[in-house]
Amino acid sequence: MNTPLRASRLRLALGILASATGLAVAFFLLPDASQQLSQKLKAKREAELKRNQQVQQLQELQQLADRIRRGKETLADLETRLPRGSAGELQWNLSKTLHALTQKHGLRLITVKYGLPSREGAKGTDLEAVEVEFVALGVYANHKAFMLDLEGSGLPFAVRDGRLDESPEGARLTIVLRAFRKTGAEREEAEA
């Protein structure tokens, strides 16, 4: 009978030892494994967040590259449509357009002043700018239609300044335009 008792004691000792080992694993290794798991999950979330940010940045850069490409295409198209004649021809075309549009919209063109051709701001290019200031009198609604038609006229200009005032004769519109033309100077410099 001694043998079954010894076997039972041995089993009991082995059971206590296994329980103690299990408790040691539970107290020491499981928290460490849990901490490692949480660190891995945190690292995974951070990596996904960083990847998403990089994808977003890449999309923004692609959109910027597309805008730059479209801008270059628009600029090249605009440059091909710029007049190549003399500054006098540009002024003549502007005068004809201004007079035709003011008559069309029932406005009275009071003054048209032209500045001297200037390459300021366009150095290194063959562009030349001419400032044009004009004053037109009439009804506000006519001024609006006039400006919309002037904008759609296809003339190579940019509005630098504009002012709408009340006067005894009606609404007074004062506009300063910068009209542009190609001089051909860049080509001439390259040939020389």
Side-chain angles (χ1 to χ4, degrees), residues 50-80:
K50 188 167 184 129
R51 182 185 55 89
N52 291 341
Q53 288 173 345
Q54 288 175 341
V55 166
Q56 178 69 27
Q57 286 176 342
L58 179 62
Q59 289 172 345
E60 290 171 2
L61 290 173
Q62 286 174 335
Q63 290 171 352
L64 178 62
D66 288 342
R67 283 196 313 265
I68 289 171
R69 181 188 44 78
R70 286 191 308 269
K72 284 182 178 180
E73 289 171 358
T74 302
L75 184 60
D77 180 52
L78 177 65
E79 284 184 353
T80 59

Short mmCIF file of all heavy atoms in Angstrom, two decimals, residues 50-80:
data_model
loop_
_atom_site.label_atom_id
_atom_site.label_comp_id
_atom_site.label_asym_id
_atom_site.label_seq_id
_atom_site.Cartn_x
_atom_site.Cartn_y
_atom_site.Cartn_z
N LYS A 50 0.46 56.40 -40.43
CA LYS A 50 1.54 57.02 -41.21
C LYS A 50 1.38 56.71 -42.70
O LYS A 50 1.57 57.59 -43.55
CB LYS A 50 2.90 56.53 -40.71
CG LYS A 50 4.05 57.26 -41.33
CD LYS A 50 5.33 56.98 -40.59
CE LYS A 50 6.42 57.80 -41.17
NZ LYS A 50 7.17 58.55 -40.20
N ARG A 51 1.01 55.47 -43.02
CA ARG A 51 0.79 55.10 -44.42
C ARG A 51 -0.36 55.92 -45.02
O ARG A 51 -0.26 56.43 -46.12
CB ARG A 51 0.48 53.60 -44.54
CG ARG A 51 0.28 53.14 -45.98
CD ARG A 51 -0.15 51.68 -46.06
NE ARG A 51 -1.32 51.38 -45.29
CZ ARG A 51 -2.57 51.48 -45.75
NH1 ARG A 51 -2.79 51.86 -46.98
NH2 ARG A 51 -3.59 51.18 -44.99
N ASN A 52 -1.45 56.07 -44.26
CA ASN A 52 -2.59 56.87 -44.73
C ASN A 52 -2.19 58.32 -44.95
O ASN A 52 -2.62 58.95 -45.92
CB ASN A 52 -3.76 56.76 -43.76
CG ASN A 52 -4.39 55.39 -43.76
OD1 ASN A 52 -4.21 54.61 -44.69
ND2 ASN A 52 -5.12 55.07 -42.70
N GLN A 53 -1.36 58.85 -44.04
CA GLN A 53 -0.88 60.23 -44.20
C GLN A 53 -0.01 60.35 -45.45
O GLN A 53 -0.12 61.33 -46.20
CB GLN A 53 -0.09 60.67 -42.97
CG GLN A 53 -0.93 60.91 -41.75
CD GLN A 53 -0.10 61.19 -40.50
OE1 GLN A 53 1.11 60.93 -40.47
NE2 GLN A 53 -0.74 61.69 -39.46
N GLN A 54 0.84 59.37 -45.68
CA GLN A 54 1.70 59.40 -46.86
C GLN A 54 0.87 59.27 -48.14
O GLN A 54 1.16 59.93 -49.15
CB GLN A 54 2.76 58.31 -46.78
CG GLN A 54 3.83 58.60 -45.75
CD GLN A 54 4.83 57.46 -45.60
OE1 GLN A 54 4.56 56.33 -45.98
NE2 GLN A 54 5.99 57.77 -45.01
N VAL A 55 -0.16 58.42 -48.10
CA VAL A 55 -1.05 58.29 -49.27
C VAL A 55 -1.74 59.62 -49.52
O VAL A 55 -1.85 60.08 -50.67
CB VAL A 55 -2.08 57.15 -49.04
CG1 VAL A 55 -3.21 57.21 -50.04
CG2 VAL A 55 -1.39 55.80 -49.10
N GLN A 56 -2.20 60.29 -48.46
CA GLN A 56 -2.86 61.59 -48.59
C GLN A 56 -1.89 62.62 -49.16
O GLN A 56 -2.24 63.39 -50.06
CB GLN A 56 -3.40 62.05 -47.22
CG GLN A 56 -4.06 63.40 -47.24
CD GLN A 56 -5.36 63.40 -48.00
OE1 GLN A 56 -6.02 62.38 -48.11
NE2 GLN A 56 -5.72 64.53 -48.54
N GLN A 57 -0.66 62.63 -48.66
CA GLN A 57 0.35 63.57 -49.17
C GLN A 57 0.65 63.29 -50.64
O GLN A 57 0.79 64.21 -51.44
CB GLN A 57 1.64 63.47 -48.35
CG GLN A 57 1.56 64.09 -46.98
CD GLN A 57 2.83 63.87 -46.17
OE1 GLN A 57 3.64 62.99 -46.47
NE2 GLN A 57 2.99 64.66 -45.12
N LEU A 58 0.73 62.02 -51.00
CA LEU A 58 0.98 61.65 -52.39
C LEU A 58 -0.16 62.13 -53.28
O LEU A 58 0.08 62.67 -54.36
CB LEU A 58 1.16 60.13 -52.52
CG LEU A 58 1.40 59.60 -53.92
CD1 LEU A 58 2.70 60.19 -54.49
CD2 LEU A 58 1.46 58.09 -53.92
N GLN A 59 -1.40 61.96 -52.84
CA GLN A 59 -2.54 62.43 -53.61
C GLN A 59 -2.50 63.95 -53.77
O GLN A 59 -2.77 64.47 -54.85
CB GLN A 59 -3.85 62.00 -52.95
CG GLN A 59 -4.13 60.52 -53.06
CD GLN A 59 -5.33 60.09 -52.25
OE1 GLN A 59 -5.83 60.81 -51.38
NE2 GLN A 59 -5.82 58.88 -52.53
N GLU A 60 -2.16 64.66 -52.69
CA GLU A 60 -2.06 66.12 -52.76
C GLU A 60 -0.97 66.54 -53.73
O GLU A 60 -1.14 67.48 -54.51
CB GLU A 60 -1.81 66.71 -51.36
CG GLU A 60 -2.99 66.60 -50.44
CD GLU A 60 -2.66 66.98 -49.01
OE1 GLU A 60 -1.49 67.37 -48.72
OE2 GLU A 60 -3.57 66.90 -48.15
N LEU A 61 0.17 65.84 -53.69
CA LEU A 61 1.26 66.16 -54.61
C LEU A 61 0.88 65.85 -56.06
O LEU A 61 1.23 66.61 -56.97
CB LEU A 61 2.54 65.40 -54.22
CG LEU A 61 3.22 65.87 -52.93
CD1 LEU A 61 4.36 64.94 -52.57
CD2 LEU A 61 3.71 67.30 -53.07
N GLN A 62 0.13 64.77 -56.27
CA GLN A 62 -0.33 64.44 -57.62
C GLN A 62 -1.30 65.51 -58.12
O GLN A 62 -1.24 65.92 -59.28
CB GLN A 62 -0.99 63.06 -57.65
CG GLN A 62 -0.01 61.92 -57.56
CD GLN A 62 -0.69 60.56 -57.43
OE1 GLN A 62 -1.81 60.45 -56.97
NE2 GLN A 62 0.03 59.53 -57.83
N GLN A 63 -2.19 65.99 -57.24
CA GLN A 63 -3.12 67.05 -57.61
C GLN A 63 -2.36 68.33 -57.94
O GLN A 63 -2.68 69.02 -58.90
CB GLN A 63 -4.13 67.31 -56.50
CG GLN A 63 -5.13 66.19 -56.31
CD GLN A 63 -5.99 66.37 -55.07
OE1 GLN A 63 -5.75 67.25 -54.25
NE2 GLN A 63 -6.99 65.51 -54.92
N LEU A 64 -1.34 68.65 -57.13
CA LEU A 64 -0.52 69.83 -57.39
C LEU A 64 0.21 69.69 -58.73
O LEU A 64 0.25 70.64 -59.52
CB LEU A 64 0.49 70.03 -56.26
CG LEU A 64 1.47 71.20 -56.41
CD1 LEU A 64 0.71 72.52 -56.46
CD2 LEU A 64 2.47 71.20 -55.29
N ALA A 65 0.75 68.50 -59.00
CA ALA A 65 1.44 68.28 -60.27
C ALA A 65 0.46 68.42 -61.44
O ALA A 65 0.81 69.00 -62.48
CB ALA A 65 2.09 66.89 -60.29
N ASP A 66 -0.77 67.94 -61.27
CA ASP A 66 -1.78 68.09 -62.32
C ASP A 66 -2.13 69.56 -62.53
O ASP A 66 -2.27 70.02 -63.67
CB ASP A 66 -3.05 67.30 -61.97
CG ASP A 66 -2.86 65.81 -62.10
OD1 ASP A 66 -1.89 65.38 -62.77
OD2 ASP A 66 -3.68 65.06 -61.53
N ARG A 67 -2.27 70.32 -61.42
CA ARG A 67 -2.57 71.76 -61.56
C ARG A 67 -1.42 72.49 -62.25
O ARG A 67 -1.64 73.36 -63.08
CB ARG A 67 -2.85 72.37 -60.19
CG ARG A 67 -4.21 72.05 -59.64
CD ARG A 67 -4.63 72.95 -58.50
NE ARG A 67 -3.65 73.17 -57.48
CZ ARG A 67 -3.56 72.49 -56.34
NH1 ARG A 67 -4.39 71.53 -56.08
NH2 ARG A 67 -2.64 72.79 -55.45
N ILE A 68 -0.18 72.13 -61.91
CA ILE A 68 0.98 72.77 -62.53
C ILE A 68 1.00 72.43 -64.02
O ILE A 68 1.23 73.31 -64.86
CB ILE A 68 2.28 72.34 -61.83
CG1 ILE A 68 2.35 72.97 -60.45
CG2 ILE A 68 3.50 72.71 -62.66
CD1 ILE A 68 3.49 72.45 -59.59
N ARG A 69 0.75 71.17 -64.36
CA ARG A 69 0.74 70.76 -65.77
C ARG A 69 -0.36 71.52 -66.53
O ARG A 69 -0.11 72.05 -67.61
CB ARG A 69 0.52 69.25 -65.88
CG ARG A 69 0.53 68.72 -67.31
CD ARG A 69 0.12 67.26 -67.40
NE ARG A 69 -1.02 66.88 -66.61
CZ ARG A 69 -2.29 67.14 -66.96
NH1 ARG A 69 -2.56 67.78 -68.06
NH2 ARG A 69 -3.29 66.75 -66.18
N ARG A 70 -1.57 71.59 -65.94
CA ARG A 70 -2.66 72.33 -66.60
C ARG A 70 -2.31 73.80 -66.72
O ARG A 70 -2.61 74.44 -67.73
CB ARG A 70 -3.97 72.14 -65.85
CG ARG A 70 -4.59 70.78 -66.04
CD ARG A 70 -6.01 70.72 -65.50
NE ARG A 70 -6.17 71.18 -64.13
CZ ARG A 70 -6.09 70.41 -63.05
NH1 ARG A 70 -5.85 69.13 -63.18
NH2 ARG A 70 -6.25 70.92 -61.85
N GLY A 71 -1.66 74.35 -65.68
CA GLY A 71 -1.25 75.75 -65.73
C GLY A 71 -0.24 76.00 -66.84
O GLY A 71 -0.32 77.00 -67.56
N LYS A 72 0.72 75.09 -66.98
CA LYS A 72 1.71 75.22 -68.06
C LYS A 72 1.04 75.13 -69.42
O LYS A 72 1.39 75.89 -70.33
CB LYS A 72 2.79 74.14 -67.93
CG LYS A 72 3.80 74.41 -66.84
CD LYS A 72 4.85 73.32 -66.80
CE LYS A 72 5.89 73.60 -65.73
NZ LYS A 72 6.91 72.55 -65.69
N GLU A 73 0.10 74.21 -69.56
CA GLU A 73 -0.62 74.08 -70.83
C GLU A 73 -1.42 75.35 -71.12
O GLU A 73 -1.43 75.84 -72.26
CB GLU A 73 -1.55 72.87 -70.80
CG GLU A 73 -0.84 71.54 -70.84
CD GLU A 73 -1.76 70.37 -70.58
OE1 GLU A 73 -2.98 70.57 -70.34
OE2 GLU A 73 -1.27 69.22 -70.63
N THR A 74 -2.08 75.88 -70.11
CA THR A 74 -2.86 77.12 -70.28
C THR A 74 -1.94 78.28 -70.65
O THR A 74 -2.27 79.08 -71.53
CB THR A 74 -3.63 77.44 -68.99
OG1 THR A 74 -4.48 76.34 -68.68
CG2 THR A 74 -4.46 78.69 -69.13
N LEU A 75 -0.80 78.37 -69.96
CA LEU A 75 0.16 79.43 -70.25
C LEU A 75 0.70 79.31 -71.67
O LEU A 75 0.79 80.31 -72.39
CB LEU A 75 1.31 79.39 -69.25
CG LEU A 75 2.35 80.50 -69.37
CD1 LEU A 75 1.70 81.87 -69.18
CD2 LEU A 75 3.45 80.30 -68.35
N ALA A 76 1.03 78.10 -72.09
CA ALA A 76 1.53 77.90 -73.46
C ALA A 76 0.45 78.27 -74.47
O ALA A 76 0.73 78.92 -75.48
CB ALA A 76 1.96 76.45 -73.66
N ASP A 77 -0.81 77.90 -74.19
CA ASP A 77 -1.92 78.25 -75.08
C ASP A 77 -2.10 79.76 -75.14
O ASP A 77 -2.28 80.34 -76.21
CB ASP A 77 -3.20 77.57 -74.60
CG ASP A 77 -4.39 77.89 -75.47
OD1 ASP A 77 -4.27 77.72 -76.71
OD2 ASP A 77 -5.44 78.33 -74.94
N LEU A 78 -2.01 80.39 -73.97
CA LEU A 78 -2.15 81.85 -73.91
C LEU A 78 -1.04 82.54 -74.69
O LEU A 78 -1.28 83.48 -75.45
CB LEU A 78 -2.15 82.33 -72.46
CG LEU A 78 -2.22 83.83 -72.23
CD1 LEU A 78 -3.56 84.37 -72.71
CD2 LEU A 78 -2.01 84.15 -70.77
N GLU A 79 0.19 82.05 -74.53
CA GLU A 79 1.31 82.66 -75.24
C GLU A 79 1.19 82.51 -76.75
O GLU A 79 1.59 83.39 -77.49
CB GLU A 79 2.64 82.08 -74.75
CG GLU A 79 3.07 82.61 -73.41
CD GLU A 79 4.43 82.10 -72.97
OE1 GLU A 79 5.01 81.23 -73.65
OE2 GLU A 79 4.92 82.58 -71.94
N THR A 80 0.62 81.40 -77.20
CA THR A 80 0.45 81.24 -78.66
C THR A 80 -0.62 82.18 -79.19
O THR A 80 -0.58 82.55 -80.36
CB THR A 80 0.08 79.79 -79.03
OG1 THR A 80 -1.15 79.44 -78.38
CG2 THR A 80 1.17 78.83 -78.65
#
